[in-house]
């Protein structure tokens, strides 16, 4: 099949290499990511040893996913399913990533409907994504939560409604818009332009432009931690509304890995 490589589809730039493109270019429709190719899917539900993980940021970028798997030496295709999600919005993580951007994080928003991707991961792939989000680390930035229906409704194009989905919830909270309402992630350049315009302290750390911000953040992990502390100290962060699902996950019995069952541990 020709015309299906990520380069041919315009999906080959990973935000980790081009931070101002975050969250990266997403596919126009569902597909099977197989190496550097995105080919059509023959079905949308993949409950044969895989679990559904909601991508609200760069995990919906095929190039980013490909890089994460290749870097960890984990092979195998990844089904990426475009889905209609009710009950969540895409907020702004209250931390500065060492990859040079301020990433997205889900927030509870019962009346909101978004078109997002669900990626279906087998256990080795799930471990790679967990590690990339810092889940196994005591000081990691994200925890993986199981968001059950009907709290979060995930509808697929074939009429299937999932019983739940995994999602990565930021442990620092999310940035608010000045009124206490979680800020929507508008794309990295617009986000950084706004944040830098609002804060002289942030400009003193990261520079006056989005380009300077990304360059300084990528070069200095300690600077990223200082930026994250600044968000907390100035009370720019609020809860995402999803923290209770992280607490619930720590007390649940482990499931068997099916998307129609309790979550994996």
């Amino acid at each position: 099949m020709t015309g299906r490589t990520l380069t041919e589809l315009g999906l080959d730039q990973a935000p980790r290499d081009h931070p101002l493109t975050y969250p990266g270019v997403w596919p126009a429709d569902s597909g099977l990511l197989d190496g550097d190719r995105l080919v059509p899917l023959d079905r949308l539900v993949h409950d044969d040893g895989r679990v559904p993980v909601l991508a609200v940021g760069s995990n919906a970028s095929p190039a980013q996913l490909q890089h994460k798997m290749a870097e960890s030496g984990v092979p195998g295709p990844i089904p990426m399913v475009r889905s209609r999600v009710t009950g969540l919005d895409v907020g702004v993580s209250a931390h500065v990533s060492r990859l040079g951007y301020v990433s997205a994080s889900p927030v509870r928003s019962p009346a909101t409907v978004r078109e997002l991707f669900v990626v279906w991961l087998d256990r080795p792939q799930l471990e790679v994504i967990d590690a990339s989000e810092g889940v196994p680390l005591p000081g990691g930035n994200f925890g993986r939560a199981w968001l059950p229906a009907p709290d979060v409704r995930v509808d697929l194009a074939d009429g299937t409604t999932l019983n739940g989905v995994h999602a990565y919830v930021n442990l620092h909270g999310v940035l608010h818009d000045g009124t206490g309402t979680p800020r929507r992630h508008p794309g990295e350049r617009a986000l950084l332009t706004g944040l830098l315009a609002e804060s002289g302290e942030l400009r003193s750390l990261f520079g006056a432009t989005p380009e300077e911000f990304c360059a300084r953040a990528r070069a200095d992990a300690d600077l990223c931690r200082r930026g994250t502390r600044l968000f907390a100290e100035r009370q720019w962060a609020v809860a995402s509304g999803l923290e209770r699902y992280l607490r619930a996950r720590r007390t649940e019995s482990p499931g068997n890995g099916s998307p129609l069952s309790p979550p994996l541990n």
Side-chain angles (χ1 to χ4, degrees), residues 144-254:
R144 176 162 50 84
W146 175 255
L147 309 180
D151 297 7
V152 175
R153 182 182 174 104
V154 180
D155 295 313
L156 310 185
D158 64 1
T160 300
T161 298
L162 300 184
N163 281 4
V165 67
H166 294 268
Y168 293 98
V169 176
N170 199 285
L171 301 179
H172 303 281
V174 293
L175 298 185
H176 64 76
D177 63 2
T179 70
T181 300
R183 181 190 297 251
R184 264 192 171 188
H185 201 300
E188 198 62 24
R189 183 177 293 277
L191 174 66
L192 294 182
T193 298
L195 291 176
L196 292 170
E198 294 167 15
S199 172
E201 290 176 289
L202 207 58
R203 292 194 299 275
S204 71
L205 292 177
F206 292 99
T209 68
E211 288 81 4
E212 287 181 288
F213 186 107
C214 293
R216 293 188 188 185
R218 287 170 69 87
D220 193 336
D222 182 64
L223 184 62
C224 292
R225 288 190 287 269
R226 289 171 64 191
T228 301
R229 286 198 301 271
L230 180 65
F231 290 157
E233 290 168 356
R234 295 298 176 265
Q235 298 183 339
W236 296 340
V238 293
S240 69
L242 301 173
E243 288 78 8
R244 67 187 179 96
Y245 299 103
L246 289 171
R247 292 191 292 270
R249 184 175 178 274
R250 287 194 287 268
T251 61
E252 285 173 339
S253 299

Side-chain angles (χ1 to χ4, degrees), residues 118-160:
V118 170
V119 294
W120 294 79
L121 305 177
D122 62 24
R123 185 175 286 276
Q125 292 166 346
L126 183 65
E127 290 174 354
V128 169
I129 302 301
D130 275 0
S132 75
E133 305 294 349
V135 172
L137 302 176
N141 294 309
F142 289 90
R144 176 162 50 84
W146 175 255
L147 309 180
D151 297 7
V152 175
R153 182 182 174 104
V154 180
D155 295 313
L156 310 185
D158 64 1
T160 300

